[in-house]
Amino acid sequence: MILDPEFFLSALRVATPLIIVALGVLVAELVGILFLCVEGVMLCGALFGMLGASYFGDPWIGVACGLAAGITAGLICAGLFVWVPADQVVIGLAFNIAALGLTSFIFRATTGVIKNSSASLAWATPDWAVDHPFLSFLFQVPPLAWLAAGLFLIAAYLLFRSAPGLMLRSVGQSVEAATSAGLDVLWVRTVAMGIAGGLAGLGGAALTVGWVHSFSDNITAGRGFIALAVVYFGRWYPGWTFFGGLLFGAGEVLGLNAQVLGGNSHLYLMVPYVLTIIVLGMTGGGRGPREVARPYERD
């Protein structure tokens, strides 16, 4: 079953939102922010992505709306984490609860706009590629999966082989050294949170617009927290984080497919969450950026 191309495509479809959100978590943590509010930011992107796709009848507009919602939410979190600065754990969890209530309220207030949609971001396979299995397979890969792969390649270069990436990582490792080098820690973290929030919102839109084509209360179902585990699994490196997202996506598909075996379906749906617990246990000794969750106040 695992070698089945259909299984691989399903795993890609399921893993894409998780991979994009994990990249946002990676950016936030490298700059020293514990992105616990990622679940709420992803939920906002999921709602507004579906709102945009339903209202305008274009899934790509929905993706753009999810991205914009994520950037807005990320900047709100930046105001609380960076400029106040408030406790990142307490405010992060509070933001998730607030986002759950707000998105549920907006969802019920816009029932005339949001509707289940069969619109998909899947490419239609051109006639000239139908008779070529390999080309036909490539055209069946979700467009946002290609986008996720491209984002990780860009991130791997920018974060670890460019001056802006060095600047970002230096803030996450030592704010004293970064300040001595002339960096404005507050603004670097604010920009990074805008990027991280945008990616989390984009991942939310990939969930609703690119995969399930609908919205419901708490549709993210803990995927933001799973994205945190994916980053820890990847040891804060883009390549391993990408692989971790694929692994968790495959685990969720295995859980869904295993329901045909009968029994309590909820047991199979536990698979990705059990993987999360195992990964967090295995990576407990991993070293992340030293400034994560430490508030910074300008003298």
Side-chain angles (χ1 to χ4, degrees), residues 6 35 42 48 62 71 89 108 151 155 159 177 179 191 198 207 209 226 251 266 269 273 288 296-297 299:
E6 288 300 321
F35 200 12
M42 183 183 182
F48 285 95
I71 292 173
V89 175
R108 283 160 175 74
L151 287 173
L159 290 175
T179 302
V191 171
L207 172 65
V209 180
I226 294 179
H266 295 287
L269 296 177
Y273 305 101
Y296 169 76
E297 295 186 42
D299 296 331

Side-chain angles (χ1 to χ4, degrees), residues 15 26 52 83 86 90 117 150 152-153 158 182 223 226 255 273 284 292 296:
L26 178 65
W83 294 93
V90 174
S117 173
F152 263 89
L153 289 174
L158 291 180
R223 286 181 175 84
I226 294 179
Y273 305 101
V292 169
Y296 169 76

